[in-house]
Amino acid sequence: MTDTAPAAASPALAARSVTKRFRGVVANDRVDFEVAAGEVHALLGENGAGKTTLCNVLTGLYRPEEGYVEIGGKAVRMHSPHDAHEAGIFMVHQQFRLVQSLSVAENVVLGWTRHGGTWFAPRRVEPEVAALAEQYGMDVAPQAKIWQLSVGEQQRVEILKALYRGARILIMDEPTSVLTPQEVDQLVATLRAMARSGSAVVFISHKLPEVLAVSDRITVLRSGRTVGTVDTAATSAEALAHMMVGRDVVFGDHAAAHHAGGEVVLKLEGLCAENDMGTPALVDVGLDVHAGEILGIAGVAGNGQRELAEVIAGERPRTGGSVTIAGKSQQGRPWEAIDTGLGYVPEDRMGVGVAPGLSITDNLRLKNYRRGGTILRNKKATEEAEELIRRFDIVARGPRTLARELSGGNLQKLIVARELSSGAKVLVVSSPTRGLDVGATESVRTLLADSARRGVAVVLISEDLDEIFELADRIAVLYRGRVTGVLNRGEADVDRIGLMMAGEVAA
Amino acid sequence: MIPFTIRFEPRERLSRWINIWVPVAAIVLALVIAGAVLAVSGHNPFTTYQQIIQAAFTQPGAFTQTLVSTTPLLFTGLAAAVAFRMRIWNIGAEGQLYLGSIAAAGVGLYLQSLPAPIVVLAMMVSGAIAGSLWAAIPGTLRAYFNTNEILTSLFLNYVADYLMYYLIFDSTSFWRDLTSPAARVFPQGKTLAASGNWPALTIFTIAVPLGLIVAVGVSGLLWGMIRGTRYGFEMRVMGDAPRAASHAGMNIRRKIISIMFVSGAVAGLGGASQVGDFRHVLDPRGLEQAQFGYTGIVVAALARYNPISAILAALGIGVLTNAGLALQGPNFPIGLTGTMEGILLFCVLGSEIFARYHVRVHRTRKPLAAHRAGQVRPAAPAAAPVEMALTGGGEQAS
């Protein structure tokens, strides 16, 4: 369609010196950002660097206190996301906004009044949706119901929704965190096709290799300010990391020092369980985890990882098999697992890992309050909380701060602090660094590696293969609830694991 | 087209200050609206309010009467608050109170020859136990079969009501008076002996019922329990995030049942107090008409489920109830007092939205601002706050 070169005149979408404060904290401090038609522009930054705030300003959810947004070179004042949509700006959020029981085509037209009128005729748009999917190389059937689709396919539906509604500027928030390596390749192809056809794509990510692979230009945010914009061709991972954190980051290899081969402290035999819908989610899972090792569990989201973690923690009933922690056979109750020495960092932080309406102190004692008497010792708990806040570098106003006021990274540090300070023998962690910035990711990974070094058996469930390769001594792959293979790290490579994750080969 | 839109934006933090002035403003607003209603219906609002104050506080015996109205509402308010705090919706305080009355009346009659302190204590204990067992039925069903406790506890109210009627009207039960001449004309319960009459504490001219003192004590106990005990900690976690509670190894089933026990025991105590403090007889009609259990839900809501605030809330509703009774007469229909109560509750409970949200009023602009409408100001220097108002316009987009 149009020329692929970024328009020389005015950018498709720009933030000019945007400032936005919350509760006196400056989330965006005179941020400048622009994305041109025909380019994929990555937005990079640590958690709390202000990426989400900036995107919410760009999509009309927040109004900037100072500065303004420009669309096609014209300053605008948007009052709601609706205004942004009319200007062709769409965002694909990490949590999809799809109706599970409706079809792809129905979701695409849902709430969109282009066809006008009261009558809702998704059948009529099916060919149109199919053509759009075809044009951008997306493999998805318009008649399929959302619940039948994989996470990657659901993401394509979100993109289709935006395209169908006339998106000229698409903002993708952390789009790759739920995808297999193969799905990531497809996504990249789609985004490139969009750029070729003259759209502007904003790609938010923490993962440097991905950003380098997909983008034309990169803007880095740090502490609410723009650090700079660079051409992707002229930069490197090290340079970007330096821009993000303001210091040099050493990309560690944490695995080397573990002393694998300790005694078995977590033993799973013939484990079976069902998911929330009552269909089998785990089938005959058997694993031994030794003291001092990190066992990585790889797999695409929804292949039994959540159920595996919950069954070990006693939070989900098993339909067969046995769990043995530190030599003690488990009946399957959460308090029993905690008392036997299981630490568990759940996938969902808010609402499961922590109670959002309670203070940091209360959340830190969530698993050891039982050790005291009937009367709580509030003062002692507060002192212990202060100590943990210091030791684990949790950024908060104080121990009375409510958990819901913490950022994602600090929330995760709180949970990890609680689980590690209780003296666990086995630690099950689910997606421990999802959504965390480079700095917090490094410190969480260091904590995990250190605890393995001190003799804790760590089960690392993660969809991030880089993380598993960085930390794990052994890698087990889950596919449709079965362990399709366990590889030593030395004999594993990304392609092979990726194929196993897709169910193509067994070990 | 309406020229402005109203938006509600969540406040980032609730300040203490706002928690005080919003309810106060709501009460003032309610008085103004109710005053208008009074004026329209031909009553002078100022004399009416004066009468309310007299009937509730200043007339001889008025405040004592207000405390009589307050006592049961504090019990049922606490019963609701403690359960609601954990998001267990016990609507059954009404029936649990009936059961408390039945048990306390039965025990008071059975033990009437014993010394008064023993009888009074036995009445309290039996009332609490009966209420808690009644509440444990919906609690157990919820814990093990995940039934909706709103429905089961509500329907058990009707069962308890019929049970009470059966004992007095439709049977020759132990509770029913079958001897006195009055009871031959109209069925009624046996009256308790003096040993079962709870003493009142008289301060100046005000009689404070023993039940009220117990209820205030229960408020303090519940407050301390929620704040400072393991049990209360589990309550707070479960009320805030049930999944975090089970993740932390709390036994949710046991907890649901035990909180229903506590809630029912408090309501049952209220029933015992009705028999011991005030009625001295099992009085199905009186209890049914009073609807203490349901009004207790309003008390709990006004107190935001805080046991200490519940004392104030119960007193407030007590004042209204008592004043309403005093105002009623040929010129002042009961519907009008109900209307006034309704206006007040609506304003106070509705005002919560102002405590939780900022209300912002925006002028409505033409659909889709800038690049379509075309009227755009040039990029301004970034330092100053820039108002990019786009109120539509005639210029063509370039």
Side-chain angles (χ1 to χ4, degrees):
Chain A
M1 294 219 264
T2 35
D3 192 2
T4 51
S10 43
L13 177 66
R16 302 288 186 206
S17 201
V18 161
T19 297
K20 178 77 192 170
R21 296 182 186 85
F22 293 99
R23 247 177 257 151
V25 176
V26 187
N28 277 178
D29 185 4
R30 284 163 286 158
V31 167
D32 287 301
F33 174 72
E34 52 176 66
V35 54
E39 74 164 339
V40 176
H41 195 129
L43 191 53
L44 196 61
E46 298 202 47
N47 251 71
K51 302 185 300 291
T52 311
T53 305
L54 178 61
C55 288
N56 284 336
V57 169
L58 291 175
T59 53
L61 206 61
Y62 296 154
R63 282 177 297 284
E65 282 149 30
E66 291 164 27
Y68 54 94
V69 174
E70 251 180 40
I71 302 173
K74 315 270 188 209
V76 294
R77 184 172 170 84
M78 291 184 283
H79 291 264
S80 73
H82 185 74
D83 291 350
H85 291 174
E86 288 200 42
I89 304 169
F90 288 82
M91 180 155 172
V92 175
H93 296 265
Q94 277 176 283
Q95 259 90 39
F96 301 145
R97 278 118 163 105
L98 297 172
V99 182
Q100 295 289 316
S101 56
L102 297 185
S103 76
V104 170
E106 283 166 335
N107 270 281
V108 165
V109 292
L110 193 66
W112 187 246
T113 51
R114 192 175 78 176
H115 286 285
T118 317
W119 302 106
F120 181 61
R123 289 263 143 188
R124 277 206 316 239
V125 304
E126 276 175 13
E128 233 179 307
V129 172
L132 263 179
E134 172 88 34
Q135 185 187 342
Y136 291 98
M138 286 183 279
D139 177 20
V140 57
Q143 310 85 356
K145 304 278 190 235
I146 299 300
W147 60 266
Q148 298 170 319
L149 304 182
S150 73
V151 182
E153 288 170 315
Q154 292 188 19
Q155 187 180 57
R156 285 170 218 155
V157 179
E158 284 282 12
I159 297 173
L160 275 175
K161 248 165 79 177
L163 288 172
Y164 180 80
R165 293 165 191 209
R168 291 184 298 111
I169 299 157
L170 185 68
I171 302 174
M172 302 284 298
D173 190 7
E174 300 271 343
T176 59
S177 53
V178 289
L179 305 181
T180 60
Q182 285 82 359
E183 284 174 326
V184 172
D185 291 344
Q186 282 195 351
L187 173 69
V188 169
T190 300
L191 297 182
R192 299 276 10 152
M194 284 186 67
R196 264 200 306 282
S197 69
S199 295
V201 178
V202 179
F203 184 94
I204 303 173
S205 180
H206 298 119
K207 295 181 193 165
L208 298 174
E210 216 169 80
V211 163
L212 287 167
V214 69
S215 67
D216 299 304
R217 288 194 295 165
I218 300 166
T219 295
V220 179
L221 292 184
R222 184 172 77 225
S223 319
R225 292 167 189 243
T226 311
V227 180
T229 301
V230 293
D231 283 328
T232 307
T235 188
S236 67
E238 285 73 22
L240 288 172
H242 184 83
M243 286 171 80
M244 277 167 78
V245 298
R247 58 184 157 81
D248 288 317
V249 176
V250 183
F251 289 101
D253 177 1
H254 295 291
H258 309 160
H259 53 86
E263 56 172 327
V264 175
V265 281
L266 175 67
K267 193 173 184 62
L268 310 177
E269 285 173 304
L271 208 56
C272 298
E274 291 175 347
N275 61 17
D276 294 333
M277 266 128 53
T279 53
L282 291 179
V283 184
D284 195 24
V285 170
L287 287 170
D288 287 344
V289 192
H290 303 263
E293 77 163 339
I294 296 181
L295 174 69
I297 310 272
V300 179
N303 275 283
Q305 294 96 320
R306 173 187 288 269
E307 288 81 4
L308 178 64
E310 288 177 355
V311 166
I312 296 173
E315 292 179 21
R316 177 179 293 274
R318 53 176 188 253
T319 49
S322 67
V323 177
T324 311
I325 299 173
K328 272 194 187 157
S329 176
Q330 300 288 303
Q331 302 296 312
R333 300 271 178 258
W335 51 90
E336 177 195 26
I338 293 168
D339 292 344
T340 326
L342 178 83
Y344 173 30
V345 178
E347 195 175 349
D348 298 319
R349 290 162 207 160
M350 207 66 102
V352 180
V354 301
L358 299 190
S359 66
I360 292 181
T361 306
D362 282 341
N363 275 300
L364 281 172
R365 65 176 163 188
L366 209 50
K367 291 199 176 168
N368 63 14
Y369 74 97
R370 250 182 255 104
R371 291 179 195 167
T374 309
I375 305 293
L376 293 177
R377 299 174 67 186
N378 289 332
K379 205 175 153 210
K380 188 165 160 253
T382 307
E383 285 164 13
E384 284 171 2
E386 277 166 350
E387 162 67 22
L388 286 174
I389 288 172
R390 246 195 323 275
R391 221 170 80 205
F392 287 86
D393 194 23
I394 300 168
V395 180
R397 276 180 289 113
R400 299 168 74 108
T401 306
L402 301 185
R404 79 157 74 90
E405 298 176 47
L406 295 179
S407 72
N410 284 305
L411 208 59
Q412 189 69 324
K413 283 193 216 164
L414 185 158
I415 297 170
V416 172
R418 178 179 72 210
E419 302 302 325
L420 287 180
S421 62
S422 67
K425 297 188 195 81
V426 180
L427 189 62
V428 176
V429 290
S430 272
S431 303
T433 60
R434 178 188 287 171
L436 302 195
D437 57 64
V438 171
T441 297
E442 261 313 287
S443 58
V444 167
R445 287 180 186 169
T446 307
L447 286 168
L448 295 178
D450 284 349
S451 56
R453 216 163 282 133
R454 282 186 285 105
V456 177
V458 179
V459 178
L460 169 68
I461 300 174
S462 179
E463 282 130 37
D464 180 349
L465 271 185
D466 294 339
E467 176 164 273
I468 286 186
F469 273 93
E470 187 179 326
L471 283 169
D473 302 294
R474 291 189 300 145
I475 301 169
V477 179
L478 266 185
Y479 176 71
R480 297 207 172 154
R482 290 172 192 274
V483 175
T484 50
V486 183
L487 303 174
N488 285 321
R489 198 169 63 128
E491 62 197 43
D493 66 84
V494 178
D495 290 334
R496 183 148 175 229
I497 298 273
L499 288 172
M500 283 166 71
M501 283 163 66
E504 299 293 330
V505 289
Chain B
M1 194 176 162
I2 304 165
F4 57 86
T5 53
I6 297 171
R7 283 168 203 242
F8 292 93
E9 296 175 4
R11 283 182 198 277
E12 276 138 13
R13 282 189 71 75
L14 285 173
S15 73
R16 280 173 191 278
W17 190 65
I18 224 153
N19 276 337
I20 292 165
W21 79 255
V22 166
V24 169
I27 290 170
V28 171
L29 179 69
L31 290 178
V32 171
I33 298 174
V37 173
L38 285 170
V40 167
S41 63
H43 300 84
N44 182 337
F46 297 101
T47 43
T48 308
Y49 289 151
Q50 202 181 352
Q51 281 174 317
I52 290 177
I53 289 171
Q54 282 171 358
F57 299 104
T58 52
Q59 271 169 15
F63 194 63
T64 298
Q65 202 51 46
T66 297
L67 295 186
V68 170
S69 307
T70 302
T71 305
L73 297 178
L74 182 50
F75 278 114
T76 53
L78 289 171
V82 76
F84 290 5
R85 184 128 185 171
M86 230 180 86
R87 294 199 219 170
I88 304 295
W89 309 107
N90 176 19
I91 310 296
E94 186 81 26
Q96 291 141 25
L97 181 134
Y98 296 164
L99 264 287
S101 288
I102 294 172
V107 168
L109 291 168
Y110 188 74
L111 300 178
Q112 58 185 326
S113 52
L114 294 180
I118 295 176
V119 179
V120 171
L121 196 65
M123 285 171 75
M124 286 184 189
V125 172
S126 61
I129 290 174
S132 63
L133 291 178
W134 197 248
I137 299 171
T140 311
L141 290 173
R142 161 73 198 272
Y144 286 95
F145 306 103
N146 206 21
T147 56
N148 184 334
E149 75 278 10
I150 298 178
L151 297 177
T152 50
S153 65
L154 175 68
F155 294 149
L156 279 175
N157 290 345
Y158 299 107
V159 179
D161 194 17
Y162 283 118
L163 177 62
M164 217 166 43
Y165 270 87
Y166 173 79
L167 293 176
I168 301 301
F169 288 89
D170 300 317
S171 66
T172 54
S173 75
F174 175 67
W175 285 262
R176 183 169 176 179
D177 184 356
L178 296 164
T179 53
S180 73
R184 285 175 204 280
V185 183
F186 187 80
Q188 61 184 47
K190 282 183 203 157
T191 303
L192 264 68
S195 61
N197 293 357
W198 295 9
L201 178 70
T202 307
I203 305 169
F204 303 112
T205 58
I206 302 161
V208 182
L210 177 63
L212 184 60
I213 297 168
V214 172
V216 170
V218 170
S219 303
L221 274 178
L222 290 176
W223 182 78
M225 180 185 91
I226 292 168
R227 262 185 71 89
T229 67
R230 229 164 76 169
Y231 188 88
F233 179 67
E234 291 176 342
M235 249 180 89
R236 283 189 285 139
V237 177
M238 287 188 56
D240 189 62
R243 291 194 57 206
S246 82
H247 170 75
M250 297 173 188
N251 188 335
I252 295 196
R253 285 179 174 166
R254 203 186 292 166
K255 196 80 188 158
I256 288 173
I257 297 173
S258 78
I259 211 70
M260 282 297 277
F261 252 94
V262 171
S263 175
V266 176
L269 260 177
S273 147
Q274 279 297 302
V275 175
D277 278 319
F278 311 120
R279 299 175 193 267
H280 311 307
V281 64
L282 180 63
D283 175 12
R285 296 209 160 191
L287 289 178
E288 187 195 57
Q289 279 165 11
Q291 304 234 313
F292 294 127
Y294 299 116
T295 314
I297 294 169
V298 177
V299 171
L302 284 175
R304 291 186 188 164
Y305 313 155
N306 179 324
I308 298 295
S309 312
I311 300 174
L312 269 182
L315 189 65
I317 304 280
V319 165
L320 281 182
T321 312
N322 190 32
L325 291 173
L327 281 177
Q328 270 169 44
N331 295 323
F332 208 96
I334 186 165
L336 196 51
T337 64
T339 304
M340 288 171 62
E341 281 183 30
I343 290 169
L344 186 68
L345 292 176
F346 180 83
C347 288
V348 173
L349 292 175
S351 73
E352 185 123 326
I353 196 163
F354 296 101
R356 293 211 180 145
Y357 295 91
H358 286 292
V359 180
R360 296 240 160 99
V361 179
H362 300 279
R363 268 183 308 156
T364 310
R365 72 283 173 230
K366 295 267 162 78
L368 185 56
H371 69 300
R372 191 174 296 171
Q375 187 195 12
V376 173
R377 291 184 200 170
V386 184
E387 176 69 5
M388 289 287 138
L390 289 149
T391 45
E395 284 175 40
Q396 280 297 110
S398 48

